[in-house]
Amino acid sequence: MGDRLTLPEWNALASQADDTVPLLETALLIARDEYPDLDADLYDTLVQSHAEHLRHEIGTIEPWPLKMAAINRHLFDELGYTGNHDEYYDPRNSYLNQVFERRLGNPVSLAMVQMEVAHRLGVPLDGVSFPGHFLVRLPVDDGLLVMDPFNGGRPLGVDELRERAKPHLGGDVPDDAALLHILNPASPRAILVRTLRNLHGVYAEREEWDRAARSADRVLKLTPDQPDALRDRGLAYLKMDYKAGAQRDLARYLHLSPEANDAPAMREQLVELNAVRTSRMH
């Protein structure tokens, strides 16, 4: 028997360097919030079996893009991992145990499966926090191979990348330098925060405020004092009638982001909270 997969402690993650935060283990830690009986070893073994199935074939291939094509073929064509186009906002698409079980995910979770298998085979695949849909990138001789994990690992050309970025840049088409900047590798911490922000968005939309608060709280475990997460947790606490927590988070948010677009609305919210607490004290 190999070593059992040890999941990290939430309170230890903030002090770790961005690139040393363990991606698979922390993604499973996020999933354990919702699935407390989750067996992390099961999924570690599954990833390893995906990699082992490919090891001989990958070893006989020289160019990175062809190695990656073999990995994609196995994951997406043979094993059936696919983007959940029908229920994009199903929270299960963000929980890695469910992605492994159902072979269905969103762009970030499918990228994590791709990256984890690729890394075990020595293929340097990185995630990209592209606006809109998360992507993956592989260094090749003359630049980068960029792929879409949500659509079977399909390679994306420069023109399509520019078009995809345009709506998120106020309609401007990014030049080469801007596009390269957007295509910078995402650290494990950034990938995990994006996962949690997706979950927060889904749960806030569903008005499941305890889960929305938990998702924002987990962002703060990874990136303490992240302003948006403080605001999000504070507003979720407010919906849960946890006024002291809401007051603390919204005050901290305003301290960190006094010029934010929603700062006036948050100040108003805080004034109301303070008034309620003052009236209770009299």
Side-chain angles (χ1 to χ4, degrees):
M1 289 292 286
D3 295 336
R4 289 185 64 79
L5 189 71
T6 305
L7 299 189
E9 295 292 328
W10 276 114
N11 291 332
L13 289 167
S15 60
Q16 284 195 236
D18 284 358
D19 289 329
T20 66
V21 173
L23 188 61
L24 176 71
E25 291 89 330
T26 310
L28 290 171
L29 186 66
I30 290 169
R32 199 173 66 184
D33 279 337
E34 190 65 21
Y35 301 93
D37 298 329
L38 172 153
D39 178 358
D41 280 316
L42 182 70
Y43 304 108
D44 182 49
T45 304
L46 186 66
V47 172
Q48 193 60 28
S49 74
H50 292 350
E52 290 308 325
H53 179 88
L54 286 158
R55 195 169 299 281
H56 175 71
E57 182 184 359
I58 295 295
T60 65
I61 299 170
E62 200 59 42
W64 292 123
L66 295 184
K67 287 180 190 279
M68 201 59 232
I71 292 170
N72 286 343
R73 188 165 55 247
H74 183 54
L75 290 177
F76 298 115
D77 298 344
E78 294 167 14
L79 294 175
Y81 284 96
T82 187
N84 192 345
H85 293 263
D86 296 332
E87 294 180 309
Y88 188 81
Y89 296 104
D90 186 328
R92 291 177 295 179
N93 295 334
S94 288
Y95 290 122
L96 214 51
N97 62 320
Q98 289 293 302
V99 177
F100 285 128
E101 301 270 352
R102 303 166 73 230
R103 307 277 158 102
L104 274 176
N106 59 26
V108 189
S109 61
L110 291 169
M112 284 197 263
V113 174
Q114 246 185 324
M115 288 165 64
E116 198 62 36
V117 172
H119 291 170
R120 291 182 191 210
L121 293 165
V123 177
L125 189 67
D126 279 315
V128 175
S129 270
F130 204 79
H133 272 191
F134 197 86
L135 302 173
V136 292
R137 51 168 270 175
L138 183 73
V140 292
D141 295 341
D142 52 351
L144 291 173
L145 172 64
V146 181
M147 291 161 283
D148 179 357
F150 193 64
N151 291 293
R154 183 171 73 81
L156 302 173
V158 172
D159 291 343
E160 185 173 353
L161 288 167
R162 288 194 213 281
E163 278 304 308
R164 283 187 177 209
K166 200 166 80 169
H168 305 279
L169 301 172
D172 294 332
V173 177
D175 61 20
D176 288 354
L179 190 59
L180 267 176
H181 180 71
I182 295 169
L183 291 171
N184 275 341
S187 69
R189 190 187 309 277
I191 295 170
L192 295 158
V193 165
R194 186 150 170 168
T195 298
L196 288 161
R197 291 194 62 76
N198 285 344
L199 281 168
H200 171 269
V202 166
Y203 288 134
E205 184 67 29
R206 293 176 169 213
E207 300 187 5
E208 294 182 32
W209 298 113
D210 55 338
R211 288 182 166 92
R214 181 183 72 199
S215 302
D217 179 69
R218 294 318 197 187
V219 172
L220 291 163
K221 293 289 191 194
L222 283 160
T223 55
D225 269 355
Q226 207 280 331
D228 287 359
L230 280 164
R231 177 201 60 208
D232 291 346
R233 188 176 67 177
L235 292 173
Y237 281 164
L238 194 58
K239 295 285 189 182
M240 294 164 69
D241 213 33
Y242 175 32
K243 292 188 169 62
Q247 188 176 33
R248 216 170 25 244
D249 280 353
L250 295 181
R252 184 75 185 140
Y253 171 67
L254 287 168
H255 175 73
L256 293 168
S257 299
E259 303 301 320
N261 288 338
D262 60 0
M266 294 303 116
R267 279 192 196 93
E268 214 170 288
Q269 198 74 70
L270 209 49
V271 167
E272 283 177 33
L273 276 167
N274 287 334
V276 168
R277 296 199 78 192
T278 307
S279 67
R280 281 183 180 169
M281 288 165 71
H282 287 302

